[in-house]
Amino acid sequence: MSALPTGRLRAVRMRPRSTAAVALVSLAGLVAFCWPLVVSPGSGLAHGTDAPLVFALVLPLLLAVVLAELSEGGMDVKAVAMLGVLAAVGAALRPLGAGTAGLETVFFLLVLGGRVFGAGFGFVLGAVTLFASALVTGGVGPWLPFQMLGAAWVGWGAGLLPPARGRREVAMLAAYGALAGLVYGVLLNLSFWPFATGLGGELSFVAGAPVADNLHRFLVFSLATSLGWDIGRALTTAALVVVTGRAVLGALRRAARRAAFAAPVTFAGPAASGSEQEPRVRTRG
């Protein structure tokens, strides 16, 4: 048996259709998050009625990502099984923190899973984990698609980090986890800020106001309301990566090698004796 390739393992191989699906989901997500900064005064958008429409749009697109992976052969049954296991673990971990005082116990798993299995797997893992945890905790609502997209981007970004090993890798992942925790909090704030502060006031969203003015109001709103929670999420994620990083990375990489996601299928020819035998199919690795 020949050894597996020494490069980074990819449980989900991103091909043209799956890449386009991820790009479409991400574009829809950016529009859903950032529309308050560019909306015109006469548009009449009200985020309270807009969010359910985003919910109905994003979930089929996220499902399309998985279907595109499966239809193109980019995700085999072993990758689906690994996705199910990690998503179940994440769904079980999240209620332990549930965002109380910023304590989030699930994001470190998205970072480590995306790092080991690649950006495509990390994207799907983030979305599926947040969806599963919402079903477990009864947290299904118009905020869920924003949480799913934010978590999907966390896993995606972890899979795009540069190569590193040992303590340097753990330090890099901890720093990324802290930054991702802060950015995730900012994005979630942006998703509900327009209808959370009411009309008027220094923190309120003003439709049609210059982007700089609304951005200033939003930053003040974030500093005044959620900075402590966001810092708590960042510190929790970084601390869990530091404490569990080497052990979890090692376990996930051993599982990935045994699963041999990237192992090619080869055909063994007839025996050298010249006797006629049907070709045998074997998997290298």
Side-chain angles (χ1 to χ4, degrees):
M1 290 185 180
S2 60
L4 286 174
T6 58
R8 188 182 301 179
L9 295 169
R10 291 287 186 270
V12 175
R13 295 183 295 278
M14 299 300 295
R15 300 186 181 185
R17 186 161 49 182
S18 54
T19 300
V22 171
L24 182 60
V25 171
S26 297
L27 179 61
L30 287 175
V31 172
F33 278 114
C34 298
W35 71 264
L37 299 179
V38 295
V39 65
S40 62
S43 64
L45 282 175
H47 208 66
T49 58
D50 169 68
L53 297 178
V54 176
F55 183 87
L57 173 65
V58 171
L59 282 182
L61 290 176
L62 289 172
L63 180 59
V65 174
V66 180
L67 293 178
E69 305 291 358
L70 293 172
S71 64
E72 286 194 313
M75 177 182 275
D76 59 17
V77 292
K78 294 175 289 187
V80 172
M82 182 64 68
L83 174 66
V85 169
L86 292 181
V89 172
L93 285 175
R94 194 169 184 229
L96 300 179
T100 303
L103 300 178
E104 289 278 8
T105 51
V106 68
F107 283 88
F108 87 99
L109 185 63
L110 306 183
V111 172
L112 299 178
R115 173 65 175 177
V116 172
F117 297 112
F121 186 91
F123 186 94
V124 180
L125 175 63
V128 172
T129 299
L130 268 289
F131 181 71
S133 68
L135 296 180
V136 170
T137 61
V140 178
W143 53 85
L144 180 57
F146 299 100
Q147 293 176 339
M148 292 172 64
L149 277 171
W153 288 335
V154 170
W156 174 268
L160 298 177
L161 293 174
R165 280 293 183 268
R167 294 181 180 178
R168 181 181 176 186
E169 180 181 34
V170 172
M172 177 182 67
L173 292 176
Y176 170 78
L179 178 61
L182 291 173
V183 173
Y184 176 87
V186 171
L187 288 175
L188 265 292
N189 285 344
L190 188 57
S191 71
F192 70 85
W193 164 61
F195 64 96
T197 53
L199 299 175
E202 294 297 323
L203 305 182
S204 298
F205 163 67
V206 178
V211 174
D213 289 352
N214 268 332
L215 184 59
H216 172 74
R217 292 169 180 268
F218 171 68
L219 292 177
V220 174
F221 167 79
S222 297
L223 291 174
T225 60
S226 66
L227 181 61
W229 273 259
D230 295 340
I231 292 176
R233 181 188 303 107
L235 294 178
T236 302
T237 303
L240 288 174
V241 169
V242 170
V243 172
T244 68
R246 295 188 67 179
V248 175
L249 287 171
L252 292 179
R253 282 176 174 141
R254 285 192 297 271
R257 286 194 295 269
R258 291 177 181 177
F261 297 114
V265 174
T266 60
F267 292 87
S273 61
S275 59
E276 294 185 0
Q277 299 180 5
E278 293 185 3
R280 294 170 294 151
V281 180
R282 65 183 181 184
T283 302
R284 186 179 304 168

